[in-house]
Amino acid sequence: MSIFTKIITGEIPSYKVAENADFIAFLDINPNAKGHTLVVPKKEENKIFDLSKEAYASLMGFSYQVAKAIEKTLPCKRVGMSVIGLEVPHVHVHLIPLNAMADIQFMQKVTFSKEEFVDLAEAISKNF
Ligand code: AMP
């Protein structure tokens, strides 16, 4: 069972931004930039391109809605998207508010207090 499935079942906590029957979006715990969010299908699958075309399209549709909410909440040049999965083998889309190339390079990290994460998740969620 992946760490993201544990989040989905409520076994471990997350800073939830959005959810529907098939997907959940929560803040990345080790963000590249403020507002870095992960969008995750509730059905655990390892690789994104092993999803059916329909499941892939619906993941993109939900990510689109989450990206709009991030864009509304945080000033940035644009919201960037990345798929990696080398650390957590459970499909997820990284949505990252970008102001500079460094924000999407997964080298620079920013830290927030628990309260800051809670407030940020709530602010994005209100715009969803
Ligand atoms: P990757 O699998 O390479 O796409 O990276 C996995 C991402 O998940 C990293 O950016 C981690 O910071 C993030 N991550 C790992 N565990 C958690 C967690 N419990 N809550 C939120 N984000 C997490």
Short mmCIF file of all heavy atoms in Angstrom, two decimals, residues 3-4 7 12-15 26-32 36-38 82-94 96 106 109 117, ligand 1:
data_model
loop_
_atom_site.label_atom_id
_atom_site.label_comp_id
_atom_site.label_asym_id
_atom_site.label_seq_id
_atom_site.Cartn_x
_atom_site.Cartn_y
_atom_site.Cartn_z
N ILE A 3 2.08 5.26 0.32
CA ILE A 3 1.86 6.32 1.31
C ILE A 3 0.66 7.19 0.91
O ILE A 3 -0.08 7.68 1.77
CB ILE A 3 3.14 7.15 1.53
CG1 ILE A 3 3.00 8.06 2.74
CG2 ILE A 3 3.52 7.95 0.31
CD1 ILE A 3 4.29 8.46 3.38
N PHE A 4 0.43 7.32 -0.39
CA PHE A 4 -0.72 8.11 -0.84
C PHE A 4 -2.04 7.38 -0.59
O PHE A 4 -3.05 8.00 -0.27
CB PHE A 4 -0.58 8.50 -2.32
CG PHE A 4 0.55 9.47 -2.59
CD1 PHE A 4 1.03 9.67 -3.87
CD2 PHE A 4 1.14 10.19 -1.55
CE1 PHE A 4 2.07 10.57 -4.12
CE2 PHE A 4 2.18 11.09 -1.80
CZ PHE A 4 2.65 11.27 -3.09
N ILE A 7 -2.92 8.09 2.83
CA ILE A 7 -3.55 9.43 2.94
C ILE A 7 -5.02 9.33 2.52
O ILE A 7 -5.92 9.86 3.19
CB ILE A 7 -2.79 10.46 2.07
CG1 ILE A 7 -1.45 10.80 2.75
CG2 ILE A 7 -3.63 11.72 1.82
CD1 ILE A 7 -0.54 11.72 1.97
N ILE A 12 -2.97 8.31 7.37
CA ILE A 12 -2.05 9.40 7.71
C ILE A 12 -2.63 10.72 7.20
O ILE A 12 -3.38 10.73 6.22
CB ILE A 12 -0.60 9.16 7.19
CG1 ILE A 12 -0.55 9.09 5.67
CG2 ILE A 12 0.03 7.91 7.77
CD1 ILE A 12 0.88 9.14 5.16
N PRO A 13 -2.31 11.81 7.88
CA PRO A 13 -2.95 13.09 7.54
C PRO A 13 -2.34 13.76 6.30
O PRO A 13 -1.22 13.41 5.88
CB PRO A 13 -2.68 13.94 8.78
CG PRO A 13 -1.45 13.38 9.39
CD PRO A 13 -1.40 11.93 9.03
N SER A 14 -3.07 14.69 5.75
CA SER A 14 -2.54 15.51 4.65
C SER A 14 -3.22 16.86 4.71
O SER A 14 -4.21 17.04 5.43
CB SER A 14 -2.83 14.84 3.30
OG SER A 14 -4.21 14.95 2.99
N TYR A 15 -2.66 17.81 3.97
CA TYR A 15 -3.27 19.14 3.86
C TYR A 15 -4.09 19.13 2.58
O TYR A 15 -3.60 19.45 1.50
CB TYR A 15 -2.18 20.21 3.84
CG TYR A 15 -1.30 20.17 5.07
CD1 TYR A 15 0.00 19.68 5.02
CD2 TYR A 15 -1.80 20.60 6.30
CE1 TYR A 15 0.80 19.63 6.15
CE2 TYR A 15 -1.01 20.56 7.45
CZ TYR A 15 0.29 20.06 7.36
OH TYR A 15 1.08 20.01 8.48
N PHE A 26 -3.68 17.26 -2.53
CA PHE A 26 -3.19 17.75 -1.24
C PHE A 26 -1.84 18.41 -1.45
O PHE A 26 -1.17 18.18 -2.47
CB PHE A 26 -3.12 16.63 -0.19
CG PHE A 26 -2.43 15.37 -0.65
CD1 PHE A 26 -1.05 15.24 -0.59
CD2 PHE A 26 -3.17 14.31 -1.18
CE1 PHE A 26 -0.41 14.09 -1.03
CE2 PHE A 26 -2.54 13.14 -1.63
CZ PHE A 26 -1.15 13.04 -1.56
N LEU A 27 -1.43 19.22 -0.47
CA LEU A 27 -0.15 19.93 -0.59
C LEU A 27 1.01 18.95 -0.48
O LEU A 27 0.98 18.04 0.37
CB LEU A 27 -0.04 20.99 0.51
CG LEU A 27 -1.07 22.13 0.44
CD1 LEU A 27 -0.86 23.09 1.62
CD2 LEU A 27 -0.98 22.89 -0.89
N ASP A 28 2.03 19.16 -1.31
CA ASP A 28 3.26 18.38 -1.19
C ASP A 28 3.94 18.79 0.12
O ASP A 28 4.07 19.97 0.43
CB ASP A 28 4.18 18.66 -2.39
CG ASP A 28 5.32 17.65 -2.49
OD1 ASP A 28 6.14 17.58 -1.54
OD2 ASP A 28 5.40 16.96 -3.51
N ILE A 29 4.38 17.80 0.88
CA ILE A 29 4.95 18.03 2.20
C ILE A 29 6.36 18.63 2.14
O ILE A 29 6.84 19.24 3.10
CB ILE A 29 4.93 16.70 3.02
CG1 ILE A 29 4.90 16.95 4.50
CG2 ILE A 29 6.03 15.77 2.62
CD1 ILE A 29 3.61 17.51 5.01
N ASN A 30 7.00 18.49 0.99
CA ASN A 30 8.36 19.03 0.81
C ASN A 30 8.38 19.86 -0.49
O ASN A 30 8.96 19.47 -1.50
CB ASN A 30 9.36 17.87 0.74
CG ASN A 30 10.80 18.34 0.71
OD1 ASN A 30 11.12 19.45 1.15
ND2 ASN A 30 11.68 17.51 0.17
N PRO A 31 7.67 21.00 -0.44
CA PRO A 31 7.36 21.72 -1.69
C PRO A 31 8.56 22.44 -2.33
O PRO A 31 9.43 22.95 -1.64
CB PRO A 31 6.31 22.74 -1.24
CG PRO A 31 6.51 22.92 0.22
CD PRO A 31 7.08 21.64 0.75
N ASN A 32 8.51 22.47 -3.67
CA ASN A 32 9.46 23.30 -4.43
C ASN A 32 9.15 24.77 -4.24
O ASN A 32 10.04 25.61 -4.29
CB ASN A 32 9.31 23.04 -5.93
CG ASN A 32 9.75 21.67 -6.36
OD1 ASN A 32 10.06 20.84 -5.53
ND2 ASN A 32 9.79 21.46 -7.65
N HIS A 36 2.68 24.16 -4.02
CA HIS A 36 3.00 22.89 -4.70
C HIS A 36 2.00 21.82 -4.24
O HIS A 36 1.95 21.48 -3.06
CB HIS A 36 4.44 22.52 -4.35
CG HIS A 36 4.97 21.28 -5.00
ND1 HIS A 36 6.32 20.99 -5.00
CD2 HIS A 36 4.38 20.25 -5.66
CE1 HIS A 36 6.53 19.85 -5.65
NE2 HIS A 36 5.36 19.38 -6.03
N THR A 37 1.24 21.32 -5.19
CA THR A 37 0.12 20.42 -4.88
C THR A 37 0.26 19.12 -5.67
O THR A 37 0.75 19.13 -6.80
CB THR A 37 -1.20 21.14 -5.26
OG1 THR A 37 -1.32 22.33 -4.47
CG2 THR A 37 -2.42 20.27 -5.03
N LEU A 38 -0.19 18.03 -5.08
CA LEU A 38 -0.19 16.73 -5.77
C LEU A 38 -1.63 16.32 -6.04
O LEU A 38 -2.49 16.43 -5.16
CB LEU A 38 0.49 15.67 -4.89
CG LEU A 38 1.92 15.98 -4.45
CD1 LEU A 38 2.43 14.88 -3.51
CD2 LEU A 38 2.86 16.13 -5.65
N SER A 82 4.12 18.59 -13.64
CA SER A 82 5.21 17.64 -13.81
C SER A 82 4.76 16.27 -13.31
O SER A 82 3.97 16.19 -12.36
CB SER A 82 6.42 18.14 -13.01
OG SER A 82 7.47 17.24 -13.12
N VAL A 83 5.23 15.22 -13.94
CA VAL A 83 4.95 13.87 -13.45
C VAL A 83 6.28 13.16 -13.31
O VAL A 83 7.06 13.10 -14.26
CB VAL A 83 4.03 13.09 -14.42
CG1 VAL A 83 3.88 11.64 -13.97
CG2 VAL A 83 2.67 13.77 -14.54
N ILE A 84 6.56 12.64 -12.10
CA ILE A 84 7.83 11.96 -11.88
C ILE A 84 7.53 10.55 -11.33
O ILE A 84 7.53 9.59 -12.08
CB ILE A 84 8.74 12.77 -10.93
CG1 ILE A 84 8.90 14.22 -11.48
CG2 ILE A 84 10.12 12.10 -10.83
CD1 ILE A 84 9.64 15.15 -10.58
N GLY A 85 7.30 10.46 -10.04
CA GLY A 85 6.91 9.15 -9.49
C GLY A 85 8.08 8.25 -9.12
O GLY A 85 7.89 7.06 -8.87
N LEU A 86 9.28 8.80 -9.09
CA LEU A 86 10.44 7.96 -8.73
C LEU A 86 10.49 7.70 -7.22
O LEU A 86 11.07 6.72 -6.78
CB LEU A 86 11.74 8.63 -9.19
CG LEU A 86 11.96 8.63 -10.72
CD1 LEU A 86 13.16 9.50 -11.08
CD2 LEU A 86 12.17 7.20 -11.23
N GLU A 87 9.87 8.58 -6.44
CA GLU A 87 9.88 8.41 -4.98
C GLU A 87 8.64 7.66 -4.51
O GLU A 87 8.75 6.74 -3.69
CB GLU A 87 9.96 9.81 -4.31
CG GLU A 87 10.03 9.76 -2.80
CD GLU A 87 9.92 11.17 -2.19
OE1 GLU A 87 10.43 12.14 -2.79
OE2 GLU A 87 9.29 11.28 -1.12
N VAL A 88 7.50 8.03 -5.00
CA VAL A 88 6.25 7.38 -4.58
C VAL A 88 5.61 6.72 -5.80
O VAL A 88 5.14 7.40 -6.72
CB VAL A 88 5.27 8.41 -3.94
CG1 VAL A 88 3.97 7.71 -3.54
CG2 VAL A 88 5.90 9.09 -2.73
N PRO A 89 5.58 5.36 -5.80
CA PRO A 89 5.06 4.65 -6.97
C PRO A 89 3.54 4.56 -6.98
O PRO A 89 2.96 3.47 -7.00
CB PRO A 89 5.72 3.26 -6.84
CG PRO A 89 5.89 3.08 -5.37
CD PRO A 89 6.11 4.44 -4.78
N HIS A 90 2.90 5.71 -6.91
CA HIS A 90 1.44 5.81 -6.98
C HIS A 90 1.20 7.07 -7.81
O HIS A 90 1.66 8.15 -7.41
CB HIS A 90 0.87 5.94 -5.55
CG HIS A 90 -0.62 6.04 -5.46
ND1 HIS A 90 -1.33 5.61 -4.36
CD2 HIS A 90 -1.54 6.54 -6.31
CE1 HIS A 90 -2.63 5.83 -4.54
NE2 HIS A 90 -2.78 6.41 -5.73
N VAL A 91 0.53 6.91 -8.93
CA VAL A 91 0.36 8.03 -9.89
C VAL A 91 0.04 9.34 -9.19
O VAL A 91 -0.84 9.39 -8.31
CB VAL A 91 -0.78 7.71 -10.88
CG1 VAL A 91 -1.07 8.92 -11.78
CG2 VAL A 91 -0.45 6.49 -11.71
N HIS A 92 0.75 10.39 -9.56
CA HIS A 92 0.43 11.73 -9.07
C HIS A 92 0.97 12.79 -10.03
O HIS A 92 2.00 12.60 -10.66
CB HIS A 92 0.98 11.97 -7.66
CG HIS A 92 2.44 11.70 -7.50
ND1 HIS A 92 2.96 10.43 -7.42
CD2 HIS A 92 3.52 12.53 -7.43
CE1 HIS A 92 4.27 10.48 -7.29
NE2 HIS A 92 4.64 11.75 -7.30
N VAL A 93 0.22 13.89 -10.11
CA VAL A 93 0.60 15.04 -10.92
C VAL A 93 1.05 16.14 -9.97
O VAL A 93 0.33 16.47 -9.02
CB VAL A 93 -0.61 15.54 -11.75
CG1 VAL A 93 -0.28 16.84 -12.47
CG2 VAL A 93 -1.04 14.47 -12.75
N HIS A 94 2.24 16.67 -10.19
CA HIS A 94 2.70 17.83 -9.43
C HIS A 94 2.18 19.09 -10.11
O HIS A 94 2.43 19.28 -11.30
CB HIS A 94 4.24 17.92 -9.44
CG HIS A 94 4.96 16.82 -8.73
ND1 HIS A 94 5.48 16.97 -7.46
CD2 HIS A 94 5.28 15.55 -9.11
CE1 HIS A 94 6.10 15.85 -7.10
NE2 HIS A 94 6.00 14.97 -8.08
N ILE A 96 2.59 23.13 -9.72
CA ILE A 96 3.50 24.02 -9.00
C ILE A 96 3.38 25.46 -9.52
O ILE A 96 3.56 25.70 -10.72
CB ILE A 96 4.97 23.55 -9.17
CG1 ILE A 96 5.09 22.06 -8.78
CG2 ILE A 96 5.92 24.40 -8.33
CD1 ILE A 96 6.43 21.43 -9.15
N PHE A 106 12.90 20.71 -8.77
CA PHE A 106 12.99 19.73 -7.67
C PHE A 106 14.34 19.70 -6.98
O PHE A 106 14.86 18.66 -6.62
CB PHE A 106 12.60 18.32 -8.18
CG PHE A 106 11.16 18.24 -8.57
CD1 PHE A 106 10.74 18.62 -9.84
CD2 PHE A 106 10.19 17.85 -7.64
CE1 PHE A 106 9.40 18.59 -10.19
CE2 PHE A 106 8.86 17.82 -7.99
CZ PHE A 106 8.46 18.19 -9.26
N LYS A 109 13.92 23.77 -2.24
CA LYS A 109 12.76 23.41 -1.42
C LYS A 109 12.43 24.56 -0.47
O LYS A 109 13.32 25.31 -0.06
CB LYS A 109 13.06 22.13 -0.62
CG LYS A 109 13.25 20.90 -1.51
CD LYS A 109 11.93 20.50 -2.16
CE LYS A 109 12.10 19.36 -3.14
NZ LYS A 109 10.81 19.01 -3.77
N PHE A 117 0.70 25.58 6.29
CA PHE A 117 0.17 24.55 5.39
C PHE A 117 -1.36 24.49 5.50
O PHE A 117 -2.05 24.43 4.48
CB PHE A 117 0.75 23.17 5.74
CG PHE A 117 2.05 22.82 5.06
CD1 PHE A 117 3.18 22.49 5.80
CD2 PHE A 117 2.15 22.79 3.67
CE1 PHE A 117 4.38 22.13 5.17
CE2 PHE A 117 3.34 22.43 3.04
CZ PHE A 117 4.45 22.11 3.79
P1 AMP B 1 7.99 11.71 -6.95
O1 AMP B 1 7.49 10.30 -6.65
O2 AMP B 1 9.41 11.73 -7.37
O3 AMP B 1 7.08 12.41 -7.94
O4 AMP B 1 7.94 12.53 -5.60
C1 AMP B 1 6.97 12.30 -4.61
C2 AMP B 1 6.54 13.60 -3.98
O5 AMP B 1 5.64 13.29 -2.93
C3 AMP B 1 7.67 14.44 -3.39
O6 AMP B 1 7.58 15.77 -3.90
C4 AMP B 1 7.38 14.38 -1.88
O7 AMP B 1 7.72 15.59 -1.21
C5 AMP B 1 5.90 14.12 -1.84
N1 AMP B 1 5.43 13.42 -0.64
C6 AMP B 1 5.95 12.28 -0.11
N2 AMP B 1 5.27 11.92 1.00
C7 AMP B 1 4.28 12.84 1.16
C8 AMP B 1 3.24 13.02 2.12
N3 AMP B 1 3.05 12.17 3.14
N4 AMP B 1 2.42 14.10 1.99
C9 AMP B 1 2.60 14.97 0.97
N5 AMP B 1 3.56 14.84 0.03
C10 AMP B 1 4.39 13.80 0.12
#
